[in-house]
Amino acid sequence: MYDDGELFADVGNGRYGVVIYNGANNTAIGGSGAGEGNVISGNVQAGVIIDGNSNAATTANTIAGNYIGTDASGTLSRGNGTYGVYFFGGANGNTIGGPTAAHGNVISGNGSSDDGVRISGATTSGNIIQHNTIGTNAAGTAAIPNNLHGIRITQSPSNQILDNLVSGNDVHAIYVFGASSTGNQILRNTIGTNAAETAAVPNLFDGIRLENGSSGTVIGSPGNGNVIAGNAQQGITINDNNSNTIQSNFIGTDSGGTQVLGNGGAGVFNEVFGSSNNLIGGDGAGEGNVIANNDVGIRLESGSANSIIGNDIHSNTNLGIDLVGGTENGAGVTANDGGDGDSGTNGLLNYPVITSATESGGTVTVEFDLDVPAGNYRVEFFTNASGADGSGYGEGESFVSSV
């Protein structure tokens, strides 16, 4: 049906739009050329299903240049009833989108409590999601939300999420869940803003959430950082997850570090269920994150041996780094204790106390006390062009060096 030239009623198929099944391979759904894409919208269940049916030969299929859940202009929601795209049953080595922007799909407006893209199962691995627009209109300027997550990886290893715009979704932008979800990579995505990174198009919960035992997820690397900004809750949440790496990202700002696009909660949040051995930043060139303009920069509520190294943290409303627990003052700062014998998140490690700072010939000499048990520790030094933090326990805006 049409009204003023616009389709306003879906005439979808009774189940799925497109199904690839049981060993089918090298099928192209759409393409990167002009006019090669399909409109796959308004179906009662999912737009596109790739079901390996335990057949590992279900591989090398591509989904490119399509509108999945919108009209042909990418401006109006015509959602599929469940998932936009769903891979399961051992489908491996398939691609949603591709290496250039022309390969990307618009995957928006889908689901009744389902995701834009879902990849599920321990044998469903090595798939690529690249250059797609997920949760917004085709221009990336306004939300056309998927009803649950933009992208969900459930019990599935070694997938790559690259170069996508994932904004405007009703829950998390990217959700990685389960102990079999190991070694996934999340690189060069824009999460929670418009395509130009000038305004928030928030996902209504977290930008990225890692949960329930997934591990070894790489979120950014030098030259491959994500913009994770403007989300309604946390930028990144780690909950019951170990050994993940978060590097080179812009969390609460654009990729130039100039826009104020804070996440509503913490930039990085280690939640209550025991996440340990995670690395936020690093001591290599370009490994640090910029974490700015959020409610809290980094908030750790649980776990041990989580390393926070070489990050530029500034202009957050509350603390730059908050280890929750112990005796806290009104700003949330946990008091040092003699000998650092207390326990809690990251051992509630005592902070260094500067005893003097002197400048001579352009060199600043800093003396400090660090009351901790015997061992190896790293103390970092920063400059703060934006001034001292209001708590009196300053953030570290520009990393200088460490000892």
Side-chain angles (χ1 to χ4, degrees):
M1 301 176 66
Y2 291 82
D3 181 15
D4 294 330
E6 290 292 338
L7 181 69
F8 69 86
D10 301 320
V11 189
N13 297 290
R15 294 192 71 186
Y16 311 120
V18 180
V19 177
I20 296 175
Y21 181 69
N22 191 26
N25 58 79
N26 291 288
T27 301
I29 303 172
S32 61
E36 291 183 349
N38 305 281
V39 176
I40 307 173
S41 299
N43 299 290
V44 172
Q45 295 190 24
V48 179
I49 292 283
I50 300 185
D51 176 6
N53 193 34
S54 300
N55 188 336
T58 314
T59 189
N61 300 290
T62 60
I63 304 168
N66 303 289
Y67 294 90
I68 303 175
T70 73
D71 70 339
S73 71
T75 61
L76 298 175
S77 177
R78 299 286 180 259
N80 297 289
T82 58
Y83 310 100
V85 180
Y86 186 17
F87 291 179
F88 61 102
N92 63 90
N94 301 285
T95 300
I96 304 169
T100 73
H103 289 84
N105 304 279
V106 177
I107 307 174
S108 300
N110 297 289
S112 173
S113 298
D114 286 308
D115 314 302
V117 176
R118 181 168 181 175
I119 298 177
S120 182
T123 59
T124 306
S125 64
N127 297 289
I128 298 172
I129 306 168
Q130 187 172 24
H131 277 123
N132 302 285
T133 297
I134 302 175
T136 75
N137 60 14
T141 58
I144 303 178
N146 294 294
N147 190 246
L148 199 59
H149 312 300
I151 300 169
R152 176 169 176 157
I153 307 294
T154 300
Q155 303 286 11
S156 175
S158 303
N159 301 287
Q160 294 180 292
I161 302 172
L162 313 171
D163 303 301
N164 303 284
L165 174 66
V166 193
S167 298
N169 297 286
D170 280 347
V171 187
H172 310 307
I174 300 173
Y175 183 46
V176 181
F177 178 90
S180 294
S181 292
T182 60
N184 292 290
Q185 295 184 323
I186 303 172
L187 306 175
R188 302 188 304 272
N189 301 281
T190 299
I191 300 169
T193 76
N194 62 7
E197 302 174 7
T198 57
V201 183
N203 298 287
L204 298 187
F205 284 75
D206 299 343
I208 299 172
R209 186 177 182 90
L210 311 180
E211 193 159 44
N212 198 39
S214 65
S215 63
T217 302
V218 174
I219 302 175
S221 66
N224 298 296
N226 304 280
V227 170
I228 307 167
N231 298 289
Q233 295 192 13
Q234 326 303 330
I236 300 169
T237 294
I238 304 172
N239 188 22
D240 188 22
N241 281 262
N242 301 322
S243 303
N244 302 289
T245 301
I246 302 170
Q247 293 181 332
S248 312
N249 302 289
F250 294 86
I251 303 174
T253 186
D254 66 312
S255 55
T258 60
Q259 298 283 340
V260 177
L261 295 167
N263 298 287
V268 180
F269 182 32
N270 190 341
E271 221 169 33
V272 294
F273 295 108
S275 299
S276 300
N277 298 301
N278 296 290
L279 174 61
I280 304 170
D283 57 9
E287 290 181 346
N289 303 281
V290 177
I291 305 174
N293 310 308
N294 308 286
D295 178 57
V296 176
I298 299 171
R299 181 179 175 90
L300 304 185
E301 289 191 350
S302 68
S304 61
N306 294 294
S307 298
I308 303 170
I309 298 174
N311 302 286
D312 294 348
I313 304 174
H314 68 92
S315 304
N316 297 288
T317 302
N318 293 296
L319 294 177
I321 300 172
D322 186 8
L323 303 184
V324 176
T327 302
E328 297 185 348
N329 68 12
V333 177
T334 301
N336 282 346
D337 60 303
D340 201 18
D342 57 359
S343 61
T345 302
N346 264 25
L348 293 180
L349 184 68
N350 280 352
Y351 53 81
V353 177
I354 295 174
T355 57
S356 69
T358 57
E359 186 272 333
S360 177
T363 298
V364 177
T365 300
V366 177
E367 296 183 354
F368 61 90
D369 290 332
L370 182 62
D371 185 9
V372 292
N376 295 318
Y377 299 88
R378 174 185 171 108
V379 177
E380 297 187 338
F381 299 88
F382 299 82
T383 60
N384 288 288
S386 58
D389 188 77
S391 69
Y393 296 83
E395 302 181 68
E397 182 168 355
S398 298
F399 176 74
V400 176
S401 64
S402 65
V403 293

